[in-house]
Amino acid sequence: MTLTDWSGVLVTLWLLFAVYAAGHALLSRRDPRTAWGWIAVCWLFPFAGPALYFLFGVNRIRTRALRLGMEARVRGPAGALHEDDVRNRLGNGEAIPMWLEELARTADRLTDLPLLGGNRIEPLHCGEQAYPRMLAAIEDAKASIELATYIFDNDATGLRFVDALACAKERGVGVRVLIDGFGQHYSLRPITGELRRRGIDYAVFNPLRLLPPSLHLNLRNHRKLLLVDGQVGFTGGMNIGRRHMVSAGGASAPAVDVQFEIHGPVLAQLAQVFADDWRLCGKPAPPRPPPSPVAARPGASCRVLTDGPNEDFDHLAMVIQAAISAARREVLIMTPYFLPPNEMIAELQAAALRGVEVQVILPEKNNLPFVHWATRNMLGELLRFGVRVWYQPLPFCHSKLFVVDGAYAQIGTANLDPRSLKLNFELAVEIYDRAFAQTLSTHFNAVRSKSREVSLEEITGRPLPARLRDALFWLFSPYL
């Protein structure tokens, strides 16, 4: 064959690959901006574009879920989950007001899970409070331990957890550990080597590998969850490692965070989340522990919200937007990464315009500076409509809190950015309880008192080089 013939063959192959990859992106991507981006890559970069799409753009997690029969979820009719009067109470026994009842119906339809009363939730600040309680629960375990985390550092703190898990295994406790395939590489020597050496049953979610190729930087399991004997659970934004030991000075760049200890019937919903992720890793479904009994005294009404690039896509964003829309008095947001979708920005603007006090606390100095820059490009859209924003000084705050009107709260793992709301597998617990919501409001106000408010003049008065830099990173915000 002549050079011209070979050129024709290559052009034909490129066209076939580009048409197939672009067509796949067009049919499978739910976000038009993402679809356009991948279609452009497939056409503009011969061979490399389609290859990049099939390596990084295809949602193989959804395919695996379909193969395991995990997406067969039927939605019930509106109001089907309102038969049990327990779920219609705030923590103090007060009936859920109508505006919150409408919010509850939104999550009813999205999750097909009921609100469960009789739960108790306690905030634990930083590793100094959270880790001793988590380790104590592991040491007291009698039947089962299920631990899921995004980052499990191979440091002194991480090894303390490995030791406790290994001791529990030696006592005959069923121990299961799930670690994200990308997050495990935050340590130069992944902790999985220690888990294997100690004989602990573990799974890696969507691991990175060359053969067969699986190099996903996206589709991360960002959930953090510890469940012990079906009686106590922990969730929040905190990973496992000395990075969260703030006052002890154990980390070079400490991260303030809040973890939550949970008791009550909602633990059964958290256990189902772990079981689903465990099965997605090719592991057999873990045995279900006996359900935690409903507390004799009134407790918080709670429900688990899951989000990810599967059948749960956009669920968390829709519930948050419904809560903002329902707010009558105040919306409090604390998050390390703040790049909300346009729909959520519109809800925040509308809430501020109708007189709701919308307040957002962000880190003054972010551990991901490009996210901070992108955020500054869009803050003016909120400030000019009356949303108030504060910058919290160091140490870096990794906490994720959402409170509405001192009666409704969300805790969990998700940030308000495209990675959490579109790409990651995330976990949240919605809580209908005035006492708990007001506890978080008190913490929010204490943090705000030490923070500085950001003015519209500060944002609009940035020098031209800073505005160009911020706009450039904002342009890539769907992929940050």
Side-chain angles (χ1 to χ4, degrees):
M1 294 179 66
T2 65
L3 183 60
T4 302
D5 294 333
W6 277 112
S7 298
V9 170
L10 289 174
V11 169
T12 302
L13 288 174
W14 166 60
L15 288 173
L16 289 173
F17 286 144
V19 167
Y20 181 77
H24 190 282
L26 179 63
L27 293 174
S28 63
R29 308 306 296 184
R30 302 190 186 186
D31 186 330
R33 294 171 299 177
T34 306
W36 269 116
W38 280 118
I39 290 170
V41 167
C42 291
W43 283 107
L44 292 176
F45 300 97
F47 294 104
L52 287 171
Y53 172 71
F54 286 112
L55 282 174
F56 299 106
V58 176
N59 187 347
R60 292 179 175 84
I61 299 297
R62 183 178 176 89
T63 302
R64 194 181 312 163
L66 287 168
R67 188 170 63 247
L68 292 171
M70 296 175 64
E71 292 209 17
R73 181 180 298 175
V74 179
R75 306 294 176 199
L81 300 177
H82 289 253
E83 298 172 0
D84 183 359
D85 188 61
V86 173
R87 53 89 66 223
N88 289 318
R89 301 291 173 197
L90 295 176
N92 59 1
E94 171 193 352
I96 292 178
M98 180 53 67
W99 66 269
L100 278 180
E101 181 70 14
E102 294 169 356
L103 170 60
R105 288 178 184 274
T106 300
D108 284 350
R109 296 299 304 276
L110 286 173
T111 67
D112 205 26
L113 294 173
L115 272 173
L116 299 172
N119 299 282
R120 179 168 58 85
I121 305 98
E122 180 182 356
L124 304 171
H125 296 276
C126 299
E128 284 80 356
Q129 289 187 10
Y131 292 156
R133 299 280 280 271
M134 295 168 72
L135 288 167
I138 293 172
E139 291 163 1
D140 291 339
K142 303 295 188 300
S144 66
I145 298 171
E146 295 168 337
L147 171 63
T149 185
Y150 176 59
I151 298 172
F152 197 148
D153 283 327
N154 191 348
D155 58 18
T157 300
L159 292 175
R160 285 178 62 199
F161 275 84
V162 172
D163 288 340
L165 293 168
C167 289
K169 177 182 178 296
E170 292 171 1
R171 298 195 307 270
V173 177
V175 179
R176 297 168 186 85
V177 179
L178 190 151
I179 306 174
D180 180 72
F182 183 87
Q184 69 168 328
H185 293 291
Y186 275 73
S187 292
L188 293 177
R189 291 187 303 108
I191 200 71
T192 49
E194 287 296 321
L195 296 173
R196 188 184 310 113
R197 187 176 66 84
R198 304 293 292 270
I200 296 171
D201 190 11
Y202 73 91
V204 178
F205 190 94
N206 205 24
L208 303 175
R209 61 175 181 265
L210 292 176
L211 295 173
S214 178
L215 301 175
H216 294 290
L217 299 181
N218 298 322
L219 304 181
R220 307 174 189 176
N221 192 319
H222 197 239
R223 295 165 181 164
K224 294 95 175 177
L225 187 60
L226 172 63
L227 300 168
V228 178
D229 292 344
Q231 303 301 307
V232 60
F234 299 84
T235 192
M238 204 175 298
N239 296 290
I240 294 177
R242 67 185 176 208
R243 67 184 69 218
H244 293 297
M245 302 294 288
V246 178
S247 62
S252 57
V256 173
D257 212 330
V258 186
Q259 199 81 334
F260 297 89
E261 182 175 334
I262 302 175
H263 298 260
V266 77
L267 293 174
Q269 294 181 1
L270 291 170
Q272 187 59 53
V273 174
F274 182 91
D276 288 346
D277 290 347
W278 190 251
R279 287 181 60 207
L280 274 174
C281 295
K283 294 281 193 171
R288 299 298 297 271
S292 182
V294 177
R297 59 184 176 82
S301 293
C302 300
R303 171 172 31 216
V304 169
L305 306 171
T306 54
D307 194 88
N310 53 6
E311 80 280 3
D312 295 328
F313 184 74
D314 257 358
H315 284 190
L316 189 54
M318 283 191 277
V319 174
I320 292 173
Q321 286 159 207
I324 296 169
S325 177
R328 304 291 179 87
R329 181 170 56 84
E330 68 176 9
V331 174
L332 308 180
I333 295 171
M334 185 183 295
T335 181
Y337 313 117
F338 187 62
L339 289 165
N342 290 333
E343 300 83 358
M344 195 176 296
I345 290 174
E347 292 288 358
L348 292 168
Q349 292 169 331
L353 286 173
R354 66 175 184 268
V356 175
E357 186 72 19
V358 182
Q359 304 181 50
V360 182
I361 295 181
L362 307 175
E364 174 90 55
K365 185 173 182 181
N366 206 297
N367 69 329
L368 300 178
F370 45 85
V371 176
H372 176 73
W373 298 331
T375 297
R376 287 178 69 82
N377 186 69
M378 51 74 58
L379 277 185
E381 298 179 43
L382 296 174
L383 293 169
R384 65 172 46 96
F385 286 94
V387 175
R388 302 178 70 184
V389 179
W390 281 265
Y391 278 152
Q392 179 179 355
L394 288 173
F396 170 64
C397 182
H398 194 249
S399 303
K400 309 141 197 327
L401 304 176
F402 178 73
V403 186
V404 175
D405 289 357
Y408 174 86
Q410 277 187 26
I411 61 173
T413 65
N415 306 301
L416 295 186
D417 67 350
R419 179 163 297 283
S420 274
L421 298 177
K422 302 290 185 183
L423 298 173
N424 287 349
F425 291 81
E426 301 284 1
L427 166 69
V429 180
E430 61 171 358
I431 302 162
Y432 295 75
D433 181 44
R434 288 195 187 278
F436 179 79
Q438 289 168 8
T439 295
L440 294 189
S441 298
T442 300
H443 172 67
F444 185 97
N445 292 332
V447 172
R448 187 189 60 190
S449 68
K450 302 174 184 177
S451 305
R452 74 171 184 87
E453 188 166 4
V454 183
S455 67
L456 181 60
E457 291 72 23
E458 175 184 341
I459 296 299
T460 57
R462 289 167 297 152
L464 179 60
R467 286 189 283 129
L468 289 172
R469 175 203 63 194
D470 297 349
L472 177 64
F473 280 96
W474 171 82
L475 188 64
F476 290 94
S477 59
Y479 310 101
L480 295 180

